[in-house]
Amino acid sequence: AQKVTQAQTEISVVEKEDVTLDCVYETRDTTYYLFWYKQPPSGELVFLIRRNSFDEQNEISGRYSWNFQKSTSSFNFTITASQVVDSAVYFCALSEARYGGSQGNLIFGKGTKLSVKP
Amino acid sequence: NAGVTQTPKFQVLKTGQSMTLQCAQDMNHEYMSWYRQDPGMGLRLIHYSVGAGITDQGEVPNGYNVSRSTTEDFPLRLLSAAPSQTSVYFCASSYSYGGRNTEAFFGQGTRLTVV
């Protein structure tokens, strides 16, 4: 069975602190995709990153970085020097690649609410 | 380029009423889906479609119907609204190429309250 666990329900930090959001996943497939989405208080879902199971390279985009480790089934997200605008709910999600089938289905974690205080 | 458009954005229904949430995308994506978001639950898949004329159930399909007559549109019908269907509903679209999944593009969401 596929499952995504975000153990941190809420995190509160002070501006300029670094913060890491944890994501652990379960899947039997060898080919799969991992995603992070941001949901600001306005409610829309903003895509942040996609990573496929064959690419374990870490990725950095500005203040954001992602650490993908297949050995521990984790795909953690770090925000460096956090800002108030980073306050949002962050979702980790998993999808599996199946030709002609449910390849678009996303399994979401329950989300981590990040509050960045000035 | 509008992306994924959902209407309405807000809706209040009485128990037992029916309604249709509209979803349209203009990106020619073959895959479309509906999720509901409840507090502390993340997003859960209701129904999905891998192309026009093809739909299937997700994790929480009870009380909902879908159809996909065109690539662009994927409406979600509530047959007889219940308070348990109070939620925020998101429509999404995506595509795949050679088995590679793209990210899902989400609509703005519909906040539904059933009283």
Side-chain angles (χ1 to χ4, degrees), chain B residues 58-114:
Chain B
E59 180 185 355
V60 288
N62 291 342
Y64 308 95
N65 270 357
V66 292
S67 60
R68 184 101 177 266
S69 56
T70 66
T71 299
E72 294 78 20
D73 300 300
F74 190 44
L76 178 72
R77 298 182 188 86
L78 279 71
L79 308 174
S80 177
S84 61
Q85 294 179 303
T86 293
S87 187
V88 180
Y89 292 84
F90 286 96
C91 179
S93 74
S94 63
Y95 67 98
S96 65
Y97 52 100
R100 297 171 185 268
N101 298 356
T102 67
E103 68 273 19
F105 295 77
F106 285 88
Q108 294 293 308
T110 296
R111 185 174 294 275
L112 175 69
T113 302
V114 182

Side-chain angles (χ1 to χ4, degrees), chain A residues 50-103:
Chain A
R50 176 186 71 149
R51 174 65 78 223
N52 73 56
S53 54
F54 298 112
D55 182 3
E56 285 193 73
Q57 284 190 347
N58 293 332
E59 182 154 341
I60 298 174
S61 176
R63 295 182 298 106
Y64 295 172
S65 62
W66 291 269
N67 184 310
F68 176 31
Q69 291 196 332
K70 289 178 74 172
S71 60
T72 56
S73 297
S74 65
F75 187 43
N76 297 337
F77 173 31
T78 297
I79 302 174
T80 303
S82 60
Q83 300 177 0
V84 173
V85 294
D86 296 326
S87 296
V89 179
Y90 291 86
F91 291 100
C92 181
L94 163 73
S95 73
E96 296 166 337
R98 297 173 187 163
Y99 291 86
S102 58
Q103 65 267 29

